[in-house]
């Protein structure tokens, strides 16, 4: 029987690459996104494009019901939709703070909550949550994004215990720098020229994001890791995607707080 995967945030980047890869390998794919008109995915017998806004519970319910009606069931859900809020916390409006967590954290929980009853009734399924090295490391000016991805890590690990009782696996994917439109579409960098103390740090971080696509791996690399996680038949929880992700996460774990923080400050200063 053909299996079915639902992917959020599938208009571009990792989500689009994942939808395309699974469709090419014979899966049924429900590719969801806020604006289906923005997608260049070609609909077909095993690929449906539909609207899903992770901050809108009615939108989630409609998309999930539509996918089940179209393909008969769901086997895998990839919580990929998200974005990165960066900037000094002092300069960040509360609306942006709420938006970051509404999208990356509450939205992930809302989609998961919507699909678990279906998966539990079937006695099987997999939830894949897209994290980041930012889920293990606090990057400068990344209070919001790193906080949201640390939450994804903790929620996913905790959730894996309860959902295992219903036959549902949880997988965490930790991509490094991936060649997407992150720096222009998915990055929300807050600055405030009236607070000069943060200007050098903001300039350094903005410059690093401007060059991220030049050094990044293709999103297809992450799609391959997601496919591995879904099909390897193991209880493994975490998967890194990209050599830089492995290096960052391993380096943070082995360096210890004092050495890691000193190294980060040294890089920022120059």
């Amino acid at each position: 029987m053909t299996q079915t995967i639902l992917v959020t945030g599938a208009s571009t980047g990792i989500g689009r690459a994942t939808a395309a890869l699974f469709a090419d390998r014979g899966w049924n794919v429900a590719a969801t996104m806020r604006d289906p008109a923005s997608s260049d995915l070609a609909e077909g017998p095993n690929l449906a494009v539909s609207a899903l806004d992770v901050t809108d519970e009615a939108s989630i319910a409609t998309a999930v019901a539509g996918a089940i009606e179209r393909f008969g069931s769901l086997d895998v859900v990839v919580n990929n939709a998200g974005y990165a809020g960066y900037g000094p916390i002092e300069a960040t409006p509360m609306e942006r703070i709420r938006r970051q967590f509404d999208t990356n954290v509450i939205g992930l929980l809302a989609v998961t909550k919507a699909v678990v009853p279906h998966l539990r009734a079937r006695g099987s399924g997999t939830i894949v949550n897209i994290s980041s090295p930012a889920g293990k490391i606090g990057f400068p000016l990344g209070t919001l994004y790193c906080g949201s991805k640390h939450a994804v890590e903790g929620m996913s690990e905790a959730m894996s215990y309860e959902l295992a009782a219903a036959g549902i696996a949880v997988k965490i994917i930790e991509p490094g720098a991936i060649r997407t439109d992150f720096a222009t579409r998915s990055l929300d960098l807050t600055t405030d020229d009236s607070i000069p103390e943060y200007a050098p740090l903001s300039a350094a971080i903005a410059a690093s994001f401007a060059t991220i696509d030049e050094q990044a791996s293709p999103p297809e690399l992450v799609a391959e890791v997601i496919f591995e996680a879904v099909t390897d038949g193991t209880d493994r929880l975490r998967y890194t995607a990209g050599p830089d992700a492995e290096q960052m996460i391993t380096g943070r774990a082995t360096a210890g707080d004092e050495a890691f923080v000193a190294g980060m400050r040294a890089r920022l200063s120059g």
Side-chain angles (χ1 to χ4, degrees):
M1 182 177 178
T2 302
Q3 292 189 294
T4 299
I5 183 170
L6 183 148
V7 184
T8 68
S11 60
T12 60
I14 292 169
R16 187 199 180 284
T18 301
L21 182 144
F22 276 81
D24 287 346
R25 295 184 181 174
W27 284 57
N28 294 325
V29 177
T32 72
M33 61 207 70
R34 285 183 298 173
D35 179 16
S38 67
S39 173
D40 64 354
L41 287 167
E43 290 207 54
N46 71 323
L47 194 153
V49 176
S50 64
L52 189 158
D53 182 342
V54 299
T55 66
D56 183 338
E57 291 180 44
S59 169
I60 295 168
T62 298
V64 170
I68 294 170
E69 181 179 0
R70 170 73 181 269
F71 297 120
S73 66
L74 287 176
D75 299 280
V76 177
V77 175
V78 179
N79 284 308
N80 167 70
Y83 82 102
Y86 268 75
I89 193 65
E90 180 183 356
T92 304
M94 283 304 302
E95 64 196 48
R96 291 194 178 186
I97 295 173
R98 292 190 178 95
R99 181 189 171 212
Q100 178 72 97
F101 286 88
D102 282 347
T103 303
N104 289 16
V105 179
I106 305 301
L108 181 152
L109 290 173
V111 172
T112 301
K113 187 174 174 62
V115 300
V116 162
H118 173 77
L119 300 179
R120 178 175 52 79
R122 299 182 68 242
S124 65
T126 304
I127 304 290
V128 179
N129 294 332
I130 306 301
S131 182
S132 163
K136 299 285 188 66
I137 301 167
F139 291 108
L141 299 188
T143 300
L144 300 188
Y145 183 62
C146 296
S148 74
K149 290 304 184 181
H150 274 66
V152 169
E153 292 276 343
M155 295 187 311
S156 300
E157 184 169 334
M159 201 184 303
S160 69
Y161 298 111
E162 65 194 72
L163 294 184
I168 303 167
V170 176
K171 306 282 186 171
I172 304 169
I173 311 297
E174 299 165 333
I178 303 299
R179 192 177 306 126
T180 67
D181 58 355
F182 181 88
T184 56
R185 177 187 176 97
S186 299
L187 176 65
D188 185 3
L189 179 61
T190 300
T191 59
D192 188 337
D193 293 339
S194 70
I195 310 177
E197 289 87 347
Y198 305 127
L201 183 57
S202 295
I205 297 302
S208 70
F209 282 127
T211 61
I212 191 170
D213 281 352
E214 299 172 8
Q215 305 166 355
S217 302
E220 288 77 14
L221 179 150
V222 188
E224 289 283 1
V225 174
I226 292 170
F227 189 85
E228 175 193 357
V230 168
T231 61
D232 66 8
T234 73
D235 292 330
R236 181 178 171 187
L237 178 63
R238 288 181 171 86
Y239 300 74
T240 56
D244 57 335
E246 179 67 30
Q247 182 180 13
M248 284 188 284
I249 291 170
T250 301
R252 180 65 182 88
T254 58
D257 283 349
E258 186 175 350
F260 186 87
V261 170
M264 180 71 75
R265 287 175 172 162
R267 286 193 292 273
L268 290 169
S269 64

